[in-house]
Amino acid sequence: MFTQRADGLRLLTVHAHPDDESSKGAATLARYAEEGVDVLVATCTGGERGSVLNPALDRPEVLADIARIRREEMAAAREILGVRQRFLGFVDSGMPGPDEPLPEGCFAAQPVEAAAAPLVALIREFRPHVVITYDETGGYPHPDHVMTHRITVEAFEAAADPRRHPEAGEPWQAAKLYYHLALSRAWFQTLHDAMTDRGVPSDMGELLAGWPDTPPALATTTRIACAEKFAVRDAAMLAHATQVAPGVAFMAHPRDIEREVWPTEDYHLARSLVPAAGGAGGAGEVEDDLFVGLRAGAGAGAGAGVGAGVGAEVGAG
Ligand SMILES: [Zn+2]
C-alpha cells in the first residue's frame, strides 16, 4: 500500500516502456516531486523487446540480459527524478514491421478492458488527482504507446465505476486526464530555428524534413515551467544507458538555447471534472499548473480543492 498524506496532491503518469518517463515530461515530474506532490510512474511493459540504442553498450551479453538491465536503469532514473514507480507487468510488443503480426502474448495484443485491470487497481490504490498519458496516436507510432493510451483512458473511467472491477479496490475518480505534447514538430522546429539563427549546427533539419504528415496537433492547454529541471531530466534519460547514446538526437541541442526558447513541458487537457483554465481566466487561458482547480483554497465553487468533491473517494455502491 502507498502511505499517503491526507492533504497531498498526487500525480500518476502512465508510460509504455522504461525510459519514456524520462524522455516525455520528466522535468514536470521532477518539479512536482520537489514541490511535495506524490508522483508515481506506471510503466506498462519491461521494455524486453527494446533494442540497444547506445553503440557503447551494443554487446551480445547486454542484449541477452536486457530485461534485468532495463529494470536497473528504471530504478536509477526513478531515484534521479525523485518519484515512485511501478511496473504493470506486461511484455513489450516490440516494433513490428508494416505487415508483421504482434508477438503472441504481448501488451498490444491484449484486450483493452482486461489489460486496464492492473491500472484500475493501481489508480484505486494510489488515488491520483491528475493522470498523464499519450494521445490516441501514442505520440509515436509504437503499438505499446497506442495501447498505453487505450488502457489509461479505459482505467480513468473504470476506476471510478463501482460496478467495474469490484475486486480491485474502492472506486476512485481522478479529476483530470492530460496528454503529452512532448517532442512535437513545433518543439523540434523552434529549437532548430533558434540554433540556426545563432550559428549553432543543428542535426534536427533532417528529422524535420522527413516528418510525416500528421493531423493537426492537439491544442496546448497547459504549459509547465520546468527549465530548472532540464538537467534532472537529462540525468534521468542518461540513466537509461542502453536506450540513449549521449549527444545524439534530442540530447544534442544546447540546453541554454532550450531554456531560452522552450522552457516548458506542454500538455493537452483531455478530460476534466473540475473547471479548467484557472476559473478566473476562463476557457482558452493556458494553464501553468496541472493542479489548477484542485489546490486547497483555490477556485470558488464547492468541490474545489483536494479532499472535497471531485478527486475524493466516490461512493462504493
Ligand atoms: Zn516507449
Side-chain angles (χ1 to χ4, degrees), residues 296-316:
V306 172
V310 171
E313 215 163 315
V314 297

Side-chain angles (χ1 to χ4, degrees), residues 64-182:
D65 203 15
I66 194 73
R68 185 189 62 79
I69 291 170
R70 294 197 72 175
R71 289 187 87 87
E72 287 183 3
E73 292 175 346
M74 184 66 243
R78 180 194 73 210
E79 291 297 316
I80 290 165
L81 294 173
V83 303
R84 304 201 256 190
Q85 188 265 348
R86 290 272 188 94
F87 283 102
L88 294 185
F90 294 101
V91 175
D92 192 339
S93 308
M95 190 71 169
D99 296 315
E100 257 181 280
L102 290 167
E104 200 175 331
C106 72
F107 178 43
Q110 306 295 317
V112 171
E113 189 180 355
L119 187 56
V120 168
L122 189 66
I123 287 173
R124 290 177 177 174
E125 181 185 355
F126 181 64
R127 305 193 301 160
H129 304 96
V130 169
V131 178
I132 310 175
T133 193
Y134 318 126
D135 66 34
E136 63 192 27
T137 70
Y140 163 66
H142 189 298
D144 288 333
H145 285 236
V146 175
M147 187 65 173
T148 297
H149 162 83
R150 289 183 182 148
I151 70 158
T152 305
V153 170
E154 167 74 11
F156 186 90
E157 300 280 338
D161 185 342
R163 294 161 300 183
R164 309 281 307 280
H165 306 277
E167 74 297 344
E170 293 293 311
W172 176 258
Q173 175 67 68
K176 292 169 122 181
L177 175 66
Y178 286 96
Y179 297 158
H180 288 283
L181 299 176

